[in-house]
């Protein structure tokens, strides 16, 4: 029987604006070159603590740039573990991290790792880089991604691989099958995401892939305060595949009269925290730089927008 549950939203913390990749489609929200490394001190932890309390958000997601290249990643996880029992990181998995290191992150409080893998062939991965690199770099990067997935599972951390379904059915299907083969047990989740730029074309590709795999739906859940729905399937070979379908949804206070709303693929995507110069800001939109969506954190927690977010008051 189908079971649909509502899951808790998360606060996204951008640990750094730097990355070891140059993907042109990345969420380079705002002006990435001005985003500085988070400093794990009292100012930072007070900021996150107060935002979480004011918004009633209980989960923490660590993002970037590439968050694992932050030199104090372990210290940050350890400090945040005092504020939440659910701390995840989204990584491209290209930095080599051993089983022992992942185990140390787990002991520090990391509860989940999401690895974004865009392609499963070195040539395709290389084609995504906007700065010229050679094939050996791509081969090494892909090997590191697969090894990191293995190491994360071995360390006992809950893990997931995200892959986006673009318009090429054959290419996406090949990648999905390769990733499903990494799933030795259900400790590793493989998730297929729709492409927000071409949501309907992407959805057709996803439906064709599910048919090809002989997939049957198990259950699903919706993220609180959003229109994002994730469904879980079991393939004819007994593999578990989840599919997340996301469409833009909007926060009244910042989206109702927005001049770029008709060109916006994201809408309100959640509460993000980033360090600009020496101050922490809350970002509510990845497109604009205006003061209604990029707000010093102390101003944010005293704004009417906080109540709207707390109530999950969105327009789908």
């Amino acid at each position: 029987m189908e079971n649909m549950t509502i899951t808790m939203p998360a606060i996204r913390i951008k640990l750094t604006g730097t990355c070891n990749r140059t993907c042109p489609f990345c969420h380079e929200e705002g002006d990435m070159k001005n985003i500085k490394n988070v400093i794990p001190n009292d100012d930072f932890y007070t900021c996150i603590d107060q935002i979480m309390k004011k918004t009633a958000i209980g989960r923490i997601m660590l993002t970037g740039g590439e968050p694992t290249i932050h030199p104090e990643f372990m210290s940050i996880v350890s400090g945040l573990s005092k504020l939440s029992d659910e701390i995840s990181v989204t990584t491209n998995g290209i930095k080599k991290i051993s089983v022992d290191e992942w185990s140390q992150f787990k002991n520090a409080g990391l509860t989940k790792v999401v690895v974004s893998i865009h392609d499963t062939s070195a040539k395709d991965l290389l084609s995504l880089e906007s700065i010229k690199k050679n094939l050996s770099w791509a081969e090494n990067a892909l090997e590191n991604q697969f090894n990191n997935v293995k190491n994360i599972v071995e360390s006992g951390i809950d893990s997931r691989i995200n892959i986006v379904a673009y318009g090429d059915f054959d290419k996406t299907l090949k990648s999905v099958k390769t990733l499903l083969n990494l799933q030795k047990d259900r400790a590793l989740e493989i998730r297929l995401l729709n492409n927000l730029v071409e949501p309907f074309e992407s959805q057709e590709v996803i439906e064709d892939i599910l048919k090809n795999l002989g997939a049957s739906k198990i259950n699903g859940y919706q993220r609180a305060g959003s229109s994002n729905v994730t469904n879980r399937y079991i393939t004819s070979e007994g593999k578990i595949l989840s599919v997340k379908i996301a469409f833009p949804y909007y926060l009244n206070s910042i989206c109702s009269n927005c001049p770029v709303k008709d060109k916006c693929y994201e809408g309100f995507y959640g509460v993000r925290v980033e360090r600009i110069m020496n101050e922490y800001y809350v970002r509510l939109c990845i497109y604009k730089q205006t003061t209604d969506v990029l707000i010093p954190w102390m101003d944010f927690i005293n704004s009417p927008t906080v109540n709207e977010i707390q109530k999950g008051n969105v327009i789908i």
Side-chain angles (χ1 to χ4, degrees), residues 117-262:
I117 296 181
H118 301 115
D119 283 288
T120 56
S121 80
K123 275 189 176 180
D124 289 335
L125 187 148
L126 186 63
S127 71
L128 294 174
E129 297 296 310
S130 56
I131 293 179
K132 187 176 181 181
K133 298 174 182 177
N134 57 37
L135 186 60
S136 63
W137 173 89
E139 291 169 342
N140 183 65
L142 196 60
E143 182 180 4
N144 285 353
Q145 286 182 316
F146 286 177
N147 281 335
N148 266 320
V149 170
K150 179 176 68 69
N151 291 345
I152 293 162
V153 172
E154 190 173 334
S155 74
I157 305 178
D158 192 15
S159 53
R160 186 175 84 222
I161 297 175
N162 280 355
I163 181 167
V164 177
Y166 295 103
D168 190 324
F169 166 78
D170 292 329
K171 181 177 171 182
T172 305
L173 177 63
K174 181 181 177 182
S175 291
V176 169
K177 286 183 174 180
T178 299
L179 297 178
L180 284 173
N181 285 334
L182 299 177
Q183 188 185 73
K184 304 305 180 185
D185 56 48
R186 296 185 183 183
L188 174 63
E189 177 186 358
I190 310 300
R191 177 171 294 179
L192 191 54
L193 312 177
N194 68 320
N195 176 10
L196 286 171
V197 178
E198 298 177 327
F200 300 108
E201 294 87 343
S202 178
Q203 179 60 21
E204 288 181 6
V205 169
I206 290 173
E207 289 174 358
D208 288 342
I209 287 173
L210 291 173
K211 289 178 184 176
N212 183 279
L213 296 174
S216 302
K217 186 176 175 182
I218 303 171
N219 55 27
Y221 62 86
Q222 181 173 0
R223 184 71 68 208
S226 83
S227 61
N228 296 349
V229 173
T230 299
N231 293 316
R232 294 176 73 244
Y233 297 84
I234 184 167
T235 72
S236 59
E237 295 184 352
K239 300 288 187 177
I240 301 299
L241 175 68
S242 65
V243 175
K244 178 181 174 182
I245 304 299
F247 294 95
Y249 57 99
Y250 304 99
L251 197 66
N252 245 330
S253 58
I254 64 171
C255 301
S256 57
N257 296 312
C258 178
V260 298
K261 185 176 179 180
D262 60 336

Side-chain angles (χ1 to χ4, degrees), residues 9-14 29 47-48 50-52 54-57 59-63 224-225 249 251 254 267-274 281-286 293 295 297 300-301 303 305-310:
I11 181 173
R12 291 171 170 82
I13 305 173
K14 192 172 288 295
E29 57 265 29
C47 161
I48 302 304
Q50 290 299 306
I51 293 172
M52 292 179 71
K54 286 286 187 176
T55 57
I57 291 175
R59 294 191 309 120
I60 294 173
M61 294 177 63
L62 306 179
T63 68
Y249 57 99
L251 197 66
I254 64 171
F268 171 66
Y269 197 66
V271 176
R272 303 170 185 227
V273 176
E274 57 194 51
Y281 282 76
V282 170
R283 179 179 292 281
L284 303 174
C285 173
I286 69 171
V293 297
I295 312 166
W297 77 267
F300 169 75
I301 64 172
S303 70
T305 304
V306 168
N307 294 329
E308 193 178 358
I309 291 170
Q310 190 178 44

Side-chain angles (χ1 to χ4, degrees), residues 288-303:
K288 298 191 297 183
Q289 301 295 313
T290 51
T291 56
D292 60 326
V293 297
L294 187 58
I295 312 166
W297 77 267
M298 284 186 283
D299 292 342
F300 169 75
I301 64 172
N302 294 308
S303 70

